[in-house]
């Protein structure tokens, strides 16, 4: 892989900027939610650099035009695979069927702010189940494939929304406390950061790096569950109530995918693991977590909480 990445990245840098002069020929990448939004940009960018990409999506049939478009644009083979992150039996089947090494895993798919409490068949709150538990099961199931690559990278898409909530270990699935869409979303994104940190420590001898990130605010189908009031709350509407394509302070999909691509491909971070990034850089600690702020919350990087989250996660996955 090339060792001449572009320098002087900023918050406005794009995935195209990040991938410049990087050669991923011979590397295999898997991107969840790779048929739309920043997942699509991430997948296309990795393919443009020479990677053999698999899009793991809920509906492979509807994603066929996307895969064909990437193949036509890059000349690289693009594979489609069915993956429902709340179907743990399906995840097990997917990981059991995977053959050969996996060099890059980008856990990008997710759901945000479901307006009503939705439970999986296991009784788990759906955002926690989708954003964290499903990706955790996928990553754990692909451990041997990642290890076989000898220098694999796992990229976990979290969010600044983790600043809304830590993990409530006494009531993760809202069996006693009132359900709140944003608290549930924030909790799931905190869990991603904690799990990344703990798994990075446990897998450090396997040649696998794991990092999490906030991609920035990007208008994608992730906002599909938000009503007008919630869109206004997150700053996606102007004073006239018009939904904006790129709200002030938000990013384009190309900019939003840049940090994922950086962590997946750049030699600059080949040996960095267990960290949380935003705007293509390590995020500072945010000692006063709150909506609209940046940085990483202390409760999202606490090693004791990371160990507890790992234990709780394995317990849930084993008891399903």
């Amino acid at each position: 892989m090339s060792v001449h990445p572009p320098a002087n990245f900023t918050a406005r840098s794009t995935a195209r900027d990040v991938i410049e002069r990087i050669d991923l020929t011979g590397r295999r990448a898997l991107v969840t939610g790779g048929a739309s939004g920043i997942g699509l940009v991430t997948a296309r960018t990795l393919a443009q650099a020479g990677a053999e990409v698999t899009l793991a999506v809920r509906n492979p049939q509807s994603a066929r035009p996307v895969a064909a478009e990437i193949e036509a644009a890059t000349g690289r083979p693009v594979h489609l695979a069915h993956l429902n992150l709340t179907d743990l039996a399906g995840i097990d089947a997917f990981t059991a069927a995977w053959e050969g090494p996996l060099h890059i895993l980008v856990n990008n798919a997710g759901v945000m702010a479901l307006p009503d409490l939705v439970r999986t068949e296991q009784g788990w709150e759906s955002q926690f189940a989708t954003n964290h538990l499903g990706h955790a099961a996928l990553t754990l199931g692909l451990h041997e494939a990642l290890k076989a690559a000898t220098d694999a990278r796992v990229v976990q898409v979290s969010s600044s929304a983790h600043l809304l909530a830590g993990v409530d270990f006494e009531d993760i699935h809202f069996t006693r406390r009132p359900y709140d869409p944003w608290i549930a979303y924030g909790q799931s994104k905190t869990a991603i950061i904690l799990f990344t940190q703990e798994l990075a420590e446990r897998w450090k001898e396997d040649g696998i790096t794991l990092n999490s990130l906030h991609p920035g605010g990007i208008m994608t189908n992730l906002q599909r569950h938000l009503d007008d009031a919630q869109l206004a709350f997150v700053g996606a509407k102007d004073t006239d109530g018009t939904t904006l394509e790129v709200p002030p302070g938000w990013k384009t999909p190309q900019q939003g995918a840049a940090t994922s691509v950086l962590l997946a491909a750049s030699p600059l971070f080949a040996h960095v693991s267990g960290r949380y990034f935003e705007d293509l850089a390590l995020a500072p600690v945010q000692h006063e977590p709150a909506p609209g702020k940046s940085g990483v919350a202390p409760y999202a990087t606490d090693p004791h909480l990371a160990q507890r989250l790992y234990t709780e996660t394995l317990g849930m996955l084993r008891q399903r």
Side-chain angles (χ1 to χ4, degrees):
M1 188 166 65
S2 170
V3 292
H4 302 292
N8 302 319
F9 299 132
T10 72
R12 315 317 295 177
S13 296
T14 67
R16 285 188 293 266
D17 297 330
V18 169
I19 208 67
E20 186 179 358
R21 294 193 296 273
I22 292 178
D23 182 7
L24 298 178
T25 302
R27 299 182 75 79
R28 304 171 74 203
L30 173 65
V31 182
T32 69
S36 64
I38 63 171
L40 168 57
V41 177
T42 300
R44 183 191 292 119
T45 303
L46 296 177
Q48 287 170 338
E52 178 183 331
V53 176
T54 296
L55 309 180
V57 297
R58 288 176 60 95
N59 189 339
Q61 185 63 34
S62 66
R64 290 190 187 282
V66 173
E69 180 272 321
I70 297 175
E71 286 187 338
T74 66
R76 302 298 303 169
V78 176
H79 310 289
L80 284 171
H82 174 255
L83 187 70
N84 180 345
L85 289 167
T86 61
D87 177 8
L88 296 181
I91 294 173
D92 289 345
F94 178 91
T95 58
W98 185 272
E99 295 182 352
L102 176 60
H103 303 87
I104 299 168
L105 171 61
V106 183
N107 288 325
N108 166 85
V111 294
M112 182 175 73
L114 298 180
D116 300 308
L117 175 58
V118 177
R119 297 194 184 280
T120 66
E121 64 180 49
Q122 296 84 6
W124 300 335
E125 188 277 316
S126 185
Q127 293 188 77
F128 193 86
T130 302
N131 297 342
H132 169 56
L133 291 172
H135 279 128
L138 177 67
T139 304
L140 292 168
L142 290 171
H143 176 242
E144 290 305 313
L146 293 163
K147 184 177 179 181
T150 71
D151 61 349
R153 303 192 192 189
V154 178
V155 179
Q156 303 248 74
V157 178
S158 181
S159 171
S160 64
H162 85 274
L163 296 165
L164 294 170
V167 176
D168 185 339
F169 288 100
E170 305 308 318
D171 191 16
I172 288 175
H173 300 294
F174 294 86
T175 57
R176 294 184 298 277
R177 56 179 168 152
Y179 174 73
D180 181 288
W182 289 105
I183 295 300
Y185 181 63
Q187 173 182 247
S188 74
K189 292 301 184 176
T190 294
I192 289 171
I193 302 172
L194 288 170
F195 192 75
T196 301
Q197 177 179 310
E198 181 64 17
L199 210 56
E201 180 65 23
R202 291 175 179 268
W203 287 4
K204 63 183 178 182
E205 302 303 325
D206 295 332
I208 305 168
T209 63
L210 302 96
N211 291 290
S212 59
L213 67 111
H214 167 49
I218 310 103
M219 287 297 288
T220 68
N221 64 1
L222 187 64
Q223 288 87 20
R224 63 189 179 276
H225 298 293
L226 304 190
D227 59 22
D228 286 343
Q230 289 175 316
L231 286 170
F233 170 73
V234 299
K237 285 184 174 290
D238 64 16
T239 54
D240 295 325
T242 301
T243 300
L244 303 170
E245 183 176 349
V246 183
W250 288 40
K251 298 186 178 186
T252 66
Q254 263 287 332
Q255 293 167 335
T259 304
S260 292
V261 172
L262 181 79
L263 296 175
S266 174
L268 288 173
F269 299 99
H271 304 293
V272 178
S273 193
R275 308 299 292 273
Y276 173 80
F277 289 76
E278 60 186 9
D279 293 338
L280 294 92
L282 283 169
V285 175
Q286 173 57 257
H287 293 288
E288 298 181 354
K293 291 191 174 183
S294 60
V296 61
Y299 55 69
T301 58
D302 184 309
H304 300 293
L305 294 179
Q307 291 174 14
R308 184 175 182 184
L309 189 277
Y310 177 85
T311 301
E312 293 278 351
T313 297
L314 262 61
M316 289 180 223
L317 295 178
R318 287 169 178 161
Q319 292 172 12
R320 53 190 166 91

